[in-house]
């Protein structure tokens, strides 16, 4: 709690301070057996006050506490304090109580449900209150992963800069302001497998894991439905395991990818070729394709090893996962496109193009880096692309999401006219196939087409860049189609969400002691903080609100939003609603769409709307990010001009007012054999020509990345509405 002097406590500690009128009323009501309307720690205090007789309050003082007149006395001390009562005041006790209660309700309504004592400034002249100050400090501590000692030092540092010491000086007292027991928090399951060192045997962890899943598969988990009272028995199975290539070969018990038979899905032996001053293991395309691995084949190799025979086909140990119930040790491992494609093939190609060790090669474009950087600066991604694009010169520091964005959206427009046409056409194959396999759902004929496209990409990789650049990640492209057939689109089984939450979990603990308790406490504090931010009063200073929201970047915080259901779709309208005055053209469109006159429609516009976790905004002139460009229909692209809530006879609906653009296909070329042409990228032919349309918000729209350079505007459609990088 705060060290700031509070008026309702000073009368217990200092002689001569007048007791508040409301407290006297409560004591009087308690003495007469009247229920107290205010929950107060002092509501149970006994009062001997009678008419004309002063109140007497006894306070127990700790032994080490010295009173003002008995500083040298030892032992416990009892102070008796007398509070004179005014007869005229006592006659109006109940009337005053009702009036004060009404005033308090008025204050609560004005302050958004915040008690009046929490609306007092931190000190005279301060812009914020103590609760808001604590909120901002907690957001700062969680944002920058401060330890408890750092928070304590920060509190003390802030206190010495204030006119009076207003903040608690320890983390314990500070955290009492965010007691999670009074908040609604969301429960999550945390699994701790400890820290795995490089030389740790995976069987140490896999054996108890497999034993537990045997119990879950046989006995299941029994529970009773709290609403119906029906008892259920749910059996649990592990069916998929997404991981990188280093971990996967250890889990399967096979040779690593830099050895012979290192592929997890086929029996490609691999080929060692010279590269630079040494040699490297490569995986050139073989025809006919090598035999595919299978669960049965892996079991036969395990039996072979168990009988003392030498290893064969790359199987060097018996994996405990072979006996995991209903788990296929081959198909149960999908190709993780985050590691294989984004950080694998994508990074590999960037190094070939921009690394100066290849300056004599035909594909080297490092001398055109300034042109590439200039184009990248004119790319405007939406919020769904978490990181703004950076120069390839900083590719050593890129995250996997940046390589993903480079492959899907930036590479073709940026490299057009810079990379030789043969290499750009080769890159087109990869962009088209990966985008198709990342859609919300992928049809069987699309999977088969992408399989052909990726085979051609792998074959041309050797022709264009040489056999020594046929890395294992390039070979894994041949298994992407089977991964989608067996496990679903690439986004459904990638490591992106796991890697992202690993980063967040790592920021929730410090040191090596009581890690689980640290994670639980800080995660709960984060939820409490989010709940409190979403319930901030309407009169919160904009500067404070902007500061706290900035510190909570990356976390879903909705401060001002209107929630409604439109055509069975949950919609969040963000911002303050304003009356919408449509132009004559839009007026005609709305009347035609709703079959009613505009005078009978109640129109309000909002700045943003959230649908399925995606945020759509009206175009703004400032800022690099743009959330206003959308694609819909077969090949239509438009810019959101207004988000309008319409209330009419048929109820409430939300519509987009869209400025539809004229578009044309980009001339990146197309592959005549496969038909690959990166159709998700289009070019706005004439930005000045537009057609205004009204679309119900339930119409499937897809957000776009935009790029504006060389007098051209490109729109790159996102592959799905589910994946957030």
């Amino acid at each position: 709690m705060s060290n700031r002097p509070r008026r309702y406590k000073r009368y217990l500690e200092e002689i001569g301070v007048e007791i508040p009128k409301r407290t006297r009323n409560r004591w009087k009501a308690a003495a007469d057996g009247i229920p107290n309307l205010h929950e107060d720690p002092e509501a149970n205090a006994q009062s001997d006050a009678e008419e004309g007789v002063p109140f007497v309050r006894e306070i127990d003082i700790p032994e080490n506490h010295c009173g003002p007149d008995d500083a040298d006395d030892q032992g416990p001390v009892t102070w008796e304090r007398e509070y004179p009562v005014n007869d005229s005041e006592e006659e109006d006790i109940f009337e005053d109580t009702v009036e004060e209660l009404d005033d308090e309700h008025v204050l609560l309504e004005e302050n958004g449900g915040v008690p009046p004592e929490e609306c007092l400034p931190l000190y005279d002249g301060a812009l914020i209150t103590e609760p808001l100050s604590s909120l901002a400090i907690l957001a700062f501590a969680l944002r920058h992963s401060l330890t408890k000692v750092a928070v304590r030092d920060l509190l003390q540092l802030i206190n010495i800069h204030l006119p009076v010491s207003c903040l608690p000086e320890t983390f314990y007292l500070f955290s009492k302001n965010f007691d999670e027991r009074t908040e609604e928090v969301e429960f999550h399951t945390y699994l701790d497998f400890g820290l795995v060192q490089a030389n740790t045997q995976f069987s140490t962890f896999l054996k108890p894991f497999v034993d537990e899943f045997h119990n879950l598969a046989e006995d299941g988990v029994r529970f009773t439905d709290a609403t119906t009272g029906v008892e259920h028995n749910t059996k649990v199975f592990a069916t998929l395991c997404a991981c990188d290539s280093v971990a996967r070969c250890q889990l399967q018990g096979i040779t690593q990818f830099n050895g012979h038979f290192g592929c997890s899905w086929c029996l490609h032996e691999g080929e060692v070729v010279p590269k630079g001053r040494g040699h490297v293991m490569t995986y050139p395309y073989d025809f006919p394709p090598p035999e595919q691995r299978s669960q049965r084949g892996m079991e036969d190799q395990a039996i072979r090893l168990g009988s003392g025979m030498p290893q064969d086909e790359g199987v060097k140990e018996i994996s405990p996962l072979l006996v995991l119930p209903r788990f296929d040790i081959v198909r149960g491992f999908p190709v993780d496109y985050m590691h294989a494609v984004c950080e694998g093939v994508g990074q590999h190609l960037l190094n070939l193009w921009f690394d100066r060790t290849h300056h004599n090669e035909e594909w080297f474009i490092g001398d055109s880096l300034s042109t590439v950087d200039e184009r990248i600066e004119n790319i405007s991604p939406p919020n769904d692309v978490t990181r703004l694009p950076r120069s390839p010169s900083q590719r050593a520091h890129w995250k996997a999401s940046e390589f993903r964005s480079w492959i899907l959206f930036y590479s073709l427009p940026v490299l057009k006219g810079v990379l030789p046409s043969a290499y750009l056409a080769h890159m087109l194959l990869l962009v088209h196939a990966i985008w198709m396999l990342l859609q919300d759902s992928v049809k069987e004929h699309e999977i088969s087409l992408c399989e052909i496209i990726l085979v051609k990409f792998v074959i041309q990789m050797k022709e264009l860049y040489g056999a020594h650049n046929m890395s294992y990640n390039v070979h894994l492209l041949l298994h992407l189609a089977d991964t989608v057939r067996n496990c679903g689109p690439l986004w459904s089984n990638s490591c992106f969400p796991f890697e992202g939450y690993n980063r967040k979990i790592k920021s929730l603990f410090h040191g090596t002691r009581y890690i689980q308790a640290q994670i639980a406490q800080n995660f709960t504090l984060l939820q409490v903080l989010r709940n409190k931010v979403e319930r901030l009063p309407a009169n919160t200073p904009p500067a404070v609100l902007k500061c706290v929201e900035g510190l909570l970047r990356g976390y879903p915080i909705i401060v001002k939003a209107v929630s409604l259901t439109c055509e069975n779709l949950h919609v969040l309208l963000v911002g303050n609603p304003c009356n919408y005055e449509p132009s004559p053209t839009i007026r005609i469109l709305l009347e035609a769409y709703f079959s009613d006159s505009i005078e009978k429609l109640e129109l309000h516009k909002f700045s943003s709307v959230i649908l399925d976790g995606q945020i759509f905004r009206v175009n703004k002139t400032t800022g690099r990010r743009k959330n206003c460009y959308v694609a819909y229909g077969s090949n239509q692209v438009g810019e959101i001009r207004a988000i309008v809530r319409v209330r009419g006879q048929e109820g409430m609906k939300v519509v987009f007012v869209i400025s539809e653009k004229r578009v044309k296909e980009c001339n990146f070329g197309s592959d005549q054999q496969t038909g690959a042409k990166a159709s998700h990228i289009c070019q706005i032919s004439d930005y000045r020509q537009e057609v205004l349309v009204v679309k119900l918000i339930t119409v499937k729209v897809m957000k776009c990345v935009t790029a504006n350079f060389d007098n051209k505007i490109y729109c790159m459609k996102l592959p799905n509405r589910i994946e957030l990088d």
Side-chain angles (χ1 to χ4, degrees):
M1 299 299 292
S2 172
N3 292 332
R4 176 189 177 191
R6 296 183 182 271
R7 288 183 296 176
Y8 65 89
K9 285 186 177 180
R10 287 179 59 195
Y11 66 86
L12 296 177
E13 302 172 357
E14 300 179 20
I15 296 179
V17 177
E18 182 180 359
I19 185 171
K21 178 180 177 181
R22 181 178 298 174
T23 302
R24 295 202 305 271
N25 294 341
R26 290 171 182 164
W27 290 353
K28 175 61 177 175
D32 294 340
I34 300 175
N36 187 10
L37 298 179
H38 302 276
E39 293 185 4
D40 191 285
E42 318 214 318
N44 296 325
Q46 296 297 322
S47 172
D48 295 328
E50 297 178 359
E51 185 175 357
V53 180
F55 288 117
V56 177
R57 178 75 163 168
E58 291 190 358
I59 308 170
D60 292 332
I61 307 298
E63 295 185 6
N64 58 354
H65 183 89
C66 297
D69 301 324
D70 303 299
D72 297 328
D73 291 350
Q74 301 296 326
V77 183
T78 299
W79 289 352
E80 290 190 358
R81 303 190 52 199
E82 296 185 355
Y83 304 96
V85 178
N86 189 319
D87 292 343
S88 60
E89 289 183 357
E90 187 174 327
E91 293 177 358
D92 298 329
I93 279 180
F94 300 106
E95 180 180 353
D96 292 343
T97 302
V98 174
E99 290 177 357
E100 291 174 3
L101 183 60
D102 292 339
D103 293 340
E104 182 174 342
H105 287 323
V106 171
L107 287 173
L108 284 173
E109 292 178 1
E110 292 177 353
N111 297 315
V114 180
E117 58 269 17
E118 296 189 11
C119 298
L120 297 176
L122 189 63
Y123 56 87
D124 291 341
L127 295 177
I128 62 174
T129 62
E130 181 185 336
L132 281 179
S133 175
S134 299
L135 203 65
I137 294 173
L138 178 61
F140 179 84
L142 293 174
R143 177 70 180 179
H144 299 286
S145 303
L146 299 187
T147 63
K148 293 182 180 180
V149 176
V151 174
R152 182 199 64 192
D153 294 343
L154 177 64
L155 291 169
Q156 294 176 356
L157 181 63
I158 295 176
N159 266 331
I160 64 177
H161 284 78
L162 297 177
V164 291
S165 180
C166 303
L167 299 175
E169 296 184 353
T170 65
F171 181 84
Y172 173 76
L173 295 176
F174 175 75
S175 63
K176 298 293 284 184
N177 292 327
F178 306 95
D179 189 353
E180 64 273 12
R181 291 172 298 179
T182 62
E183 297 286 340
E184 293 184 3
V185 295
E186 182 179 344
F187 288 91
H188 292 253
T189 301
Y190 167 71
L191 301 178
D192 183 12
F193 291 100
L195 301 177
V196 182
Q197 299 180 356
N199 57 352
T200 301
Q201 294 293 325
F202 266 77
S203 59
T204 305
F205 300 94
L206 291 181
K207 287 180 179 178
F209 175 80
V210 171
D211 292 341
E212 182 63 28
F213 266 86
H214 270 289
N215 296 332
L216 292 173
E218 294 175 3
D219 302 332
V221 178
R222 297 184 181 275
F223 64 94
T224 302
D225 192 324
T227 57
T228 62
V230 178
E231 184 176 347
H232 299 272
N233 183 13
T234 300
K235 296 186 178 182
V236 183
F237 302 93
T239 57
L240 289 179
C241 179
C243 58
D244 60 13
S245 297
V246 177
R248 184 173 56 250
C249 64
Q250 299 183 55
L251 292 171
Q252 290 180 307
I254 66 174
T255 306
Q256 194 165 273
F257 53 86
N258 55 356
H260 290 290
F261 296 102
C263 180
S264 298
W265 295 276
C266 71
L267 297 177
H268 196 303
E269 185 177 0
E271 181 180 343
V272 179
V273 300
K275 182 176 183 179
R277 298 181 180 180
H279 294 76
V280 64
M281 176 65 70
T282 63
Y283 289 81
Y285 180 76
D286 285 348
F287 187 83
E291 181 184 352
Q292 302 295 301
R293 291 188 186 272
S294 65
Q295 173 80 12
R296 181 61 183 172
M298 296 287 284
E299 292 173 353
D300 292 342
Q301 291 298 322
I303 296 173
R304 177 187 176 91
L305 286 176
S307 61
M309 300 179 67
Q311 69 178 48
D312 189 22
E313 297 181 351
V315 180
K316 63 179 184 178
E317 60 181 331
I318 303 174
S319 172
L321 295 181
L322 284 169
V323 294
L324 184 64
R326 300 195 183 183
F327 181 76
D328 190 312
I329 200 169
V330 178
R331 293 187 175 185
F333 286 96
V335 178
D336 172 39
Y337 93 99
M338 188 194 87
H339 289 101
V341 180
C342 302
E343 293 183 325
V345 179
Q347 187 175 22
H348 183 43
L349 290 174
L350 276 167
N351 290 335
L352 290 173
W353 296 332
F354 293 99
D355 196 321
R356 300 207 69 84
T357 58
H358 308 290
H359 65 280
N360 291 326
E361 303 292 348
E362 182 183 4
W363 64 74
F364 178 71
I365 55 174
D367 295 332
S368 303
L369 185 61
S370 58
T371 302
V372 172
D373 290 348
E374 183 180 354
R375 292 180 175 182
I376 286 178
E377 286 295 323
N378 290 283
I379 296 177
S380 300
N383 282 12
D384 306 72
V385 179
T386 54
R387 295 177 181 270
L388 291 172
R390 292 191 284 177
S391 167
S393 61
Q394 304 179 40
R395 63 189 180 278
H397 306 289
W398 282 15
K399 301 297 182 182
S401 61
E402 294 176 274
F403 288 110
R404 174 185 181 272
S405 300
W406 168 263
I407 294 172
L408 296 176
F409 312 124
Y410 312 151
S411 57
L412 294 181
V414 169
L415 296 178
K416 182 183 177 183
V418 176
L419 189 67
S421 58
Y423 297 91
L424 186 66
H426 180 245
M427 184 64 185
L428 175 68
L429 298 174
L430 180 67
V431 174
H432 181 96
I434 300 302
W435 191 91
M436 292 284 288
L437 296 177
L438 280 171
Q439 295 178 99
D440 288 334
S441 59
V442 190
K443 299 180 175 63
E444 176 58 37
H445 74 273
E446 293 175 331
I447 299 175
S448 300
L449 176 61
C450 290
E451 188 173 23
I452 297 173
I453 293 173
L454 290 173
V455 167
K456 184 171 184 178
F457 178 87
V458 173
I459 293 174
Q460 290 187 350
M461 186 75 185
K462 181 179 179 180
E463 299 173 356
L464 295 174
Y465 296 98
H468 58 283
N469 285 314
M470 295 293 293
S471 65
Y472 177 61
N473 286 320
V474 174
H475 170 75
L476 290 184
L477 296 177
L478 301 174
H479 298 292
L480 282 179
D482 282 336
T483 289
V484 177
R485 286 192 184 98
N486 298 328
C487 309
L490 295 179
W491 56 262
S492 65
N493 45 68
S494 79
C495 286
F496 269 113
F498 299 100
E499 296 280 352
Y501 280 106
N502 278 342
R503 176 183 60 83
K504 292 183 178 180
I505 290 176
K506 286 173 63 177
S507 67
L508 296 178
F509 67 91
H510 312 86
T512 58
R513 300 182 62 191
Y514 310 111
I515 292 179
Q516 296 90 338
Q518 294 182 56
I519 292 174
Q521 182 186 36
N522 289 327
F523 183 77
T524 304
L525 281 176
L526 185 59
Q527 291 191 72
V528 172
L529 174 64
R530 183 176 62 186
N531 294 340
K532 288 185 177 292
V533 171
E534 292 179 353
R535 296 199 303 265
L536 284 176
N539 58 355
T540 302
V544 178
L545 192 60
K546 182 179 179 180
C547 175
V548 174
E549 288 179 342
L551 291 170
L552 291 174
R553 289 190 304 271
Y555 297 98
I557 302 294
I558 305 299
V559 179
K560 295 180 180 179
V562 177
S563 177
L564 56 92
T565 301
C566 180
E567 301 288 336
N568 297 323
L569 179 67
H570 182 63
V571 178
L572 275 178
L573 295 168
V574 184
N576 294 320
C578 303
N579 291 329
Y580 181 59
E581 297 294 337
S583 64
T585 303
I586 299 177
R587 180 189 181 101
I588 296 174
L589 291 172
L590 289 173
E591 289 180 340
Y593 191 90
F594 290 97
S595 303
D596 209 342
S597 63
I598 201 72
E599 288 77 11
K600 297 181 180 180
L601 300 176
E602 182 180 338
L603 307 177
H604 290 92
K605 64 178 180 179
F606 291 79
S607 59
S608 309
V609 64
I610 298 178
L611 298 172
D612 294 334
Q614 284 189 314
I615 184 167
F616 297 85
R617 287 198 176 101
V618 178
N619 187 19
K620 58 179 182 178
T621 56
T622 60
R624 187 173 175 183
R625 293 193 178 275
K626 292 186 182 298
N627 293 279
C628 58
Y629 280 92
V630 294
Y632 51 93
S634 57
N635 195 27
Q636 284 90 18
V637 173
E639 176 186 345
I640 299 176
R641 290 295 180 86
I643 301 170
V644 185
R645 182 183 66 188
V646 182
R647 190 193 303 270
Q649 296 180 354
E650 299 180 358
M652 189 179 300
K653 295 184 179 181
V654 182
V655 298
F656 286 132
V657 177
I658 299 177
S659 170
E660 193 172 285
K661 309 297 182 183
R662 294 181 59 184
V663 297
K664 62 180 181 180
E665 292 185 358
C666 298
N667 55 348
F668 300 129
S670 62
D671 186 75
Q672 295 181 354
Q673 293 179 328
T674 63
K677 57 181 180 180
S679 56
H680 68 287
I681 304 177
C682 63
Q683 180 182 337
I684 297 178
S685 58
D686 190 347
Y687 186 80
R688 293 167 297 180
Q689 293 186 5
E690 62 179 15
V691 177
L692 292 175
V693 296
V694 173
K695 294 289 183 181
L696 191 64
I697 209 167
T698 54
V699 174
K700 184 177 180 179
V701 293
M702 197 71 70
K703 295 175 69 173
C704 296
V705 179
T706 57
N708 186 354
F709 50 79
D710 297 342
N711 297 321
K712 298 175 182 177
I713 299 178
Y714 297 96
C715 284
M716 291 78 75
K717 185 168 63 172
L718 300 184
N720 59 74
R721 296 190 295 179
I722 303 170
E723 184 183 28
L724 297 177
D725 61 3

